Amino acid sequence: MLILGISAFYHDSAAAIIEDGEVIAAAQEERFTRKKHDPDFPVNAARFCLEYAGRSINEVDAVVFYDKPLLKFERLLETYYAYAPKGLKSFMMSMPVWLKEKLFLKTLIWEALDTIEKVDRKKVKLLFPEHHLSHAASAFYPSSYDRAAILTIDGVGEWATASICLGEGNKITILKELDFPHSLGLLYSAVTYFCGFKVNSGEYKLMGLAPYGNPNSQQVERFVNIIKNNLVEVKADGSIFLNQDYFNYATGLRMVYDDKWEQLFGFPRRDSESLLEQNHCDLALAIQQVTEEVVLNLGKEAKKLTNADYLCMAGGVALNCVANGKLDDAKIFKEIFITPAAGDAGGALGAAYAAHYIYYGNERKVDPAKLDALKGSYLGTEHSDMEILSVAKKYRAPYKQFDTEDALVEKAAALIADGNIIGWHQGRMEFGPRALGARSIIADARNPEMQKKLNLKIKYREGFRPFAPVVPIEDVSEYFEHEGNSPYMLLVKKVKESRRIPYPANFDAKELLDKLYFLRSDIPSITHIDYSARIQTVHRETNLRFWKLLNEFKKITGYSVMVNTSFNVRGEPIVNTPEDSYRCFMRTDMDYLIIGNFIFDKKDQPEWKEKDDWRNEFSLD
């Protein structure tokens, strides 16, 4: 049985294909179009999935869209009606789009698929599971658990903004839902907006900014109280109630009423790219603390309702790896699995899984010996030597080709140990927002200058943003207060106390820029200001070459941990093709590019003739 899943028309559109319950391929449309968070129908991603599977569109049993558009339209109408006459301008702007596109979504999908290959509409089914069911399926079905609680949290689907489910065998039972307009995801996005970052894009920046807040200050405590007394009522069962007097997202064109928030917090909404102040840091910490409280409450409620030993998580809020780490530390469950494409892109995969197991009722077979069924999330495109050589020829790019993997890995490890920054393009592209060693920029975590250099000269982004460590699973407890798996970079844990460097006197009183480059540990480039790190564990079963590289680096330096960040610059999607990688390499201060068995040395490359500046080409995301 062959099923194609689709997510589209909001943000992060994607396609995924599964055959007889096995995921074959999955990719986000942005990687092909080079438009960050591309919401358009994923024609390119769907074409890739079909080609990788070696199948025609008419061999597909079903095409499955990740939510129910008519139910979403019902929510939109009911919301505008409930708040009338407020929101008339927003209503008048949104209705033409809905009437033209969303209400005729079936036709749009068929027409888009016809551009790949003419579809026999009598043969191929078109299915529409609910949004949060797609999220739940994306987490439970690829997990190694036969029975687990499932927690989904995001902005909003059709009506639901969070759900608690029970997964058993091939079944998912929805036990409890929280409905719009009350949403933890939208609350977090509202603060993201007020702090000057983009909604549906900058939430992870807010999470990274939070540790610069002063946890011992009265201001953070005051902000938490303001949030809980005015904006949101937090209940013990994980449900929340948002005071709509302060929010404008239900019927307006913005997230919040700026003037009311300014009166509450005592400072105005920050303009994008303007100077970050302590107020913004403290507010980021306050909302992070409230978010963690709600997530813990939801975890406890999920345990209470299911009495399950294991938990699966999905939805955009499941990308809040700090909250995930706190939930894991609470030991409510024996183990937590968070699907790597937890946001809307992952809905494509979840929709396909939901059709396979729920609609068609197929048997589910679980292999507890495996981490999961997602193959390390390496589900995207891969490229041949011929394609790499074609790019080298096009740009007249000198290179060195290695005959064996071991020789390549030895050279790469030595280059990194010498302080070089490497663009690392290997194997199949990752599915999801994190680079996991297939389309990565890697460097030496021991280098105290590396965070600054990567942020300002490679990524062209804000200097406060932290970088993640990558470490072989066998060595994770040598560096971090964690002994389990974290293959998808979705858990934040503390660096081991023995590796930390104590704060200087009055550190909390310093401004953000003064705190930024304080030496915090013996692996400073991946140690955040609160001694935390967003860990990726590497497993030889899913990425042998990356695992070998880390172990070779350990032979040279005594350390098996490196910096791993996504292979892109700010505002740009992660690279996909060898040409994407070469262009990014030449337009930044990276030292070497390694694609497959080919190494390109920046010093040997011809002058880059394209004078465009990515710092101006892409806005902050």
Side-chain angles (χ1 to χ4, degrees), residues 328-399:
D328 184 60
D329 287 340
K331 301 303 176 190
I332 299 167
F333 297 91
K334 289 181 180 178
E335 197 171 87
I336 300 174
F337 172 72
I338 308 152
T339 192
D344 278 5
L349 181 58
Y353 272 128
H356 182 79
Y357 290 113
I358 298 173
Y359 183 84
Y360 288 107
N362 288 301
E363 182 185 1
R364 176 171 176 253
K365 297 177 181 178
V366 175
D367 185 354
K370 285 188 176 181
L371 276 174
D372 55 64
L374 294 179
K375 305 174 183 178
S377 202
Y378 306 112
L379 301 170
T381 58
E382 59 184 335
H383 301 95
S384 66
D385 286 356
M386 186 65 71
E387 291 173 276
I388 301 166
L389 288 168
S390 176
V391 171
K393 185 176 182 180
K394 176 179 178 179
Y395 291 103
R396 294 178 171 81
Y399 60 85

Side-chain angles (χ1 to χ4, degrees), residues 140-141 146 168-172 356-358 361-364:
F140 176 63
Y141 289 126
D146 185 62
E168 291 183 291
N170 69 345
K171 295 182 174 60
I172 291 177
H356 182 79
Y357 290 113
I358 298 173
N362 288 301
E363 182 185 1
R364 176 171 176 253

Side-chain angles (χ1 to χ4, degrees), residues 435-436 443 445 466-472 476 479-480 486 489 491-493 495 523 525-528 532-538 546 550 560-565:
L436 301 170
F467 289 98
V470 58
V471 63
V476 64
Y479 303 97
F480 307 104
S486 182
M489 211 182 278
L491 289 178
V492 164
K493 298 287 184 174
V495 170
I523 40 176
S525 290
I526 56 82
T527 304
H528 205 11
S532 68
R534 190 181 71 202
I535 303 167
Q536 180 198 350
T537 55
V538 177
F546 206 30
L550 293 165
S560 58
V561 62
M562 289 183 188
V563 176
N564 176 21
T565 188

Side-chain angles (χ1 to χ4, degrees), residues 47-279:
R47 182 184 290 113
F48 154 70
C49 287
L50 289 163
E51 288 176 352
Y52 195 89
R55 306 296 285 271
S56 157
I57 187 67
N58 289 305
E59 293 178 84
V60 170
D61 293 282
V63 174
V64 195
F65 192 74
Y66 80 131
D67 68 10
K68 290 183 178 292
L70 290 179
L71 195 57
K72 189 175 286 188
F73 186 56
E74 173 193 281
R75 186 252 298 169
L76 195 69
L77 290 177
E78 287 194 23
T79 300
Y80 281 122
Y81 179 76
Y83 286 90
K86 279 173 58 179
L88 179 61
K89 183 179 179 182
S90 175
F91 178 81
M92 296 299 291
M93 289 177 66
S94 64
M95 280 305 105
V97 175
W98 271 96
L99 292 171
K100 181 181 177 182
E101 295 183 2
K102 304 298 194 296
L103 291 185
F104 299 99
L105 189 62
K106 286 186 177 181
T107 301
L108 280 175
I109 292 173
W110 290 128
E111 289 176 350
L113 292 172
D114 282 343
T115 66
I116 301 172
E117 180 185 354
K118 185 67 176 176
V119 186
D120 183 347
R121 302 185 188 186
K122 294 180 180 179
K123 183 178 180 182
V124 179
K125 284 185 177 292
L126 188 54
L127 304 175
F128 296 87
E130 289 190 19
H131 184 95
H132 274 259
L133 181 61
S134 294
H135 274 321
S138 76
F140 176 63
Y141 289 126
S143 78
S144 59
Y145 316 136
D146 185 62
R147 184 179 189 276
I150 311 167
L151 183 57
T152 69
I153 322 167
D154 67 3
V156 61
E158 296 90 1
W159 278 103
T161 63
S163 74
I164 297 173
C165 307
L166 175 64
E168 291 183 291
N170 69 345
K171 295 182 174 60
I172 291 177
T173 305
I174 298 172
L175 303 176
K176 205 169 189 178
E177 289 185 332
L178 180 68
D179 284 344
F180 183 86
H182 310 295
S183 164
L184 182 60
L186 290 176
L187 173 63
Y188 202 87
S189 291
V191 180
T192 299
Y193 164 85
F194 191 70
C195 287
F197 304 124
K198 286 186 180 178
V199 173
N200 292 326
S201 176
E203 284 80 1
Y204 64 100
K205 292 188 187 181
L206 193 71
M207 182 179 66
L209 185 64
Y212 290 96
N214 185 348
N216 302 313
S217 73
Q218 290 184 345
Q219 177 158 274
V220 171
E221 183 180 355
R222 182 169 68 85
F223 285 169
V224 169
N225 289 334
I226 288 172
I227 291 168
K228 295 175 75 170
N229 291 334
N230 297 275
L231 301 180
V232 59
E233 180 183 353
V234 176
K235 300 180 181 181
D237 66 352
S239 61
I240 60 173
F241 184 91
L242 296 190
N243 182 353
Q244 293 301 302
D245 290 342
Y246 290 93
F247 297 92
N248 194 33
Y249 57 75
T251 56
L253 302 175
R254 294 174 298 165
M255 288 301 298
V256 305
Y257 294 105
D258 292 8
D259 55 342
K260 291 185 177 182
W261 278 54
E262 182 176 345
Q263 290 172 13
L264 272 183
F265 294 107
F267 62 93
R269 176 178 175 261
R270 172 179 167 263
D271 291 329
S272 177
E273 302 198 39
S274 64
L275 185 68
L276 282 160
E277 300 174 353
Q278 194 59 43
N279 284 331

Side-chain angles (χ1 to χ4, degrees), residues 420-434:
N420 293 291
I421 297 174
I422 308 292
W424 182 255
H425 179 136
Q426 301 290 329
R428 296 185 69 182
M429 180 176 63
E430 304 92 337
F431 181 53
R434 309 292 184 221

Side-chain angles (χ1 to χ4, degrees), residues 456-467:
L456 302 182
K457 293 191 174 185
I458 308 293
K459 305 285 280 188
Y460 302 135
R461 68 186 198 182
E462 305 94 335
F464 74 84
R465 291 179 45 192
F467 289 98

Side-chain angles (χ1 to χ4, degrees), residues 268-305:
R269 176 178 175 261
R270 172 179 167 263
D271 291 329
S272 177
E273 302 198 39
S274 64
L275 185 68
L276 282 160
E277 300 174 353
Q278 194 59 43
N279 284 331
H280 306 116
C281 303
D282 288 345
L283 181 55
L285 178 56
I287 191 60
Q288 181 63 35
Q289 289 178 354
V290 172
T291 298
E292 290 164 11
E293 180 183 350
V294 175
V295 170
L296 281 169
N297 287 346
L298 284 166
K300 292 172 185 175
E301 185 70 6
K303 179 69 174 181
K304 177 183 173 183
L305 293 176

